[in-house]
Amino acid sequence: MSAQIIDGNALAQTVRTELAEKAAALKASRGITPCLAVILVGEDPASAVYVRNKVSACEKAGFRSIKEVYPADVEPAVVLGKIAALNADPDVHGILVQLPLPKQFDADAVLEAIVPEKDVDGFHAENVGALMQGNPRFIPCTPYGVMKMLESANVPLKGAEAVIVGRSNIVGKPMAMLLLAQSCTVTVCHSQSKDLAFHTKRADILVAAVGRAKMITGDMIKPGATVIDVGINRTADGKLCGDVDFDSCKEVAGAITPVPGGVGPMTITMLLANTLESAERTLK
Ligand code: NDP
């Protein structure tokens, strides 16, 4: 039997409509327009597309956006100076620096330069710590989007076996914290894990966040499992695909996200949600 498809495009559209309504209400009642500043350094084509999509999503939801683009050889001090100015600007509610940064940058130092109150990606150490303590200020957008997808599909979390493949600071680790906070029993796998299939086959909820095309196959998952595919890869013929072999897994899973049209649109949606939340907090 074929799995339920968790449609990220449809959910993103619903949530973005709600966010646009809230942004319009904030503007009408308090004269505040949520504003996101995005900094792009260098000419990486994928990064340029991500930034363009973020700016376009802001515009469509009635948010203001600021896009700052620097050449790959820019001095880090220039970018840090811009971050300081955006930190001090009361009309800017969210600041993000598109990763990866060129090698003359200390990426951690750049992320730490953003004031935690405007760190809508949730990557600042203070915000990582707050998430770890179960009291998040901003939830990192990709795992936040995954949690919304699980909620929309009514996936039971309490006591569920959750297995995450990938332990990055951006996806795997915060994903583990969020699922743990919902009382899942969490296993995190990585490149040194022995017998990956042993772990994935035990999962009621499997999150793949690796960056290896179609590495999770139908024989690696438990019948009825919820399979969330965070991976974005390009096949030899230039098509997008996830870390999950969709065709074989959809015959075994209970619910599954596609690529494209799954987690990707939800990531940008939650960036808007965090920016709106930051704007609303300025009233408190
Ligand atoms: P990273 O490269 O930072 O992390 C990849 C993780 O996968 C690492 O923890 C690595 O282990 C692990 N890994 C590598 N090979 C294996 C293997 N053979 N078996 C098990 N684990 C392995 O990637 P990100 O977390 O940033 O991104 C992961 C994927 O998600 C990428 O395809 C990326 O493009 C995509 N992505 C999608 C987003 C979206 O909105 N849909 C947002 C962010 C990312 P180790 O730590 O040991 O090296």
Side-chain angles (χ1 to χ4, degrees):
M1 206 185 80
S2 240
Q4 174 201 346
I5 310 295
I6 307 177
D7 183 342
N9 280 330
L11 181 60
Q13 197 47 57
T14 304
V15 178
R16 285 186 203 193
T17 301
E18 287 166 15
L19 294 171
E21 285 166 8
K22 285 184 184 165
L26 188 64
K27 191 173 179 183
S29 64
R30 310 299 290 258
I32 295 173
T33 303
C35 174
L36 174 70
V38 185
I39 296 176
L40 172 65
V41 184
E43 286 90 37
D44 176 50
S47 293
V49 171
Y50 292 141
V51 165
R52 198 163 58 233
N53 289 344
K54 287 168 188 176
V55 167
S56 149
C58 279
E59 281 164 10
K60 285 185 187 144
F63 290 29
R64 197 162 76 86
S65 65
I66 298 170
K67 181 174 157 188
E68 299 286 346
V69 182
Y70 296 96
D73 60 356
V74 68
E75 285 292 325
V78 173
V79 175
L80 291 170
K82 174 50 73 177
I83 291 174
L86 293 167
N87 281 341
D89 185 340
D91 294 331
V92 173
H93 307 104
I95 305 169
L96 77 80
V97 177
Q98 186 66 44
L99 299 175
L101 284 166
K103 52 184 179 307
Q104 74 270 25
F105 281 84
D106 173 349
D108 287 340
V110 172
L111 297 179
E112 300 303 299
I114 299 170
V115 284
E117 292 78 10
K118 298 187 183 185
D119 166 41
V120 283
D121 261 341
F123 296 161
H124 191 289
E126 189 177 310
N127 290 334
V128 174
L131 176 67
M132 185 92 156
Q133 288 178 328
N135 187 24
R137 182 190 269 128
F138 292 115
I139 299 172
C141 303
T142 299
Y144 194 2
V146 171
M147 295 307 286
K148 286 278 172 201
M149 296 178 98
L150 293 172
E151 186 188 311
S152 79
N154 294 315
V155 176
L157 299 180
K158 201 170 170 182
E161 290 289 339
V163 175
I164 301 156
V165 190
R167 58 174 164 180
S168 71
N169 290 339
I170 293 172
V171 188
K173 284 182 198 164
M175 191 75 253
M177 285 304 128
L178 292 172
L179 290 168
L180 190 59
Q182 295 305 316
S183 299
C184 293
T185 302
V186 178
T187 303
V188 183
C189 299
H190 45 77
S191 67
Q192 306 307 309
S193 297
K194 291 180 186 144
D195 196 355
L196 183 63
F198 165 80
H199 297 288
T200 58
K201 271 186 203 158
R202 292 174 39 251
D204 300 312
I205 300 165
L206 177 64
V207 181
V210 176
R212 286 173 66 117
K214 302 184 184 185
M215 70 174 286
I216 305 289
T217 46
D219 57 338
M220 293 172 72
I221 63 173
K222 177 172 165 178
T226 299
V227 179
I228 307 286
D229 191 355
V230 177
I232 302 176
N233 311 288
R234 268 196 199 277
T235 54
D237 57 1
K239 287 192 181 142
L240 280 188
C241 76
D243 292 345
V244 172
D245 178 35
F246 186 81
D247 290 339
S248 64
C249 287
K250 80 174 192 313
E251 300 306 324
V252 186
I256 189 166
T257 66
V259 176
V263 176
M266 285 306 292
T267 294
I268 296 187
T269 302
M270 302 329 288
L271 177 65
L272 297 179
N274 281 347
T275 304
L276 176 69
E277 170 121 28
S278 181
E280 288 173 342
R281 281 182 196 153
T282 61
L283 300 172
K284 289 176 189 156

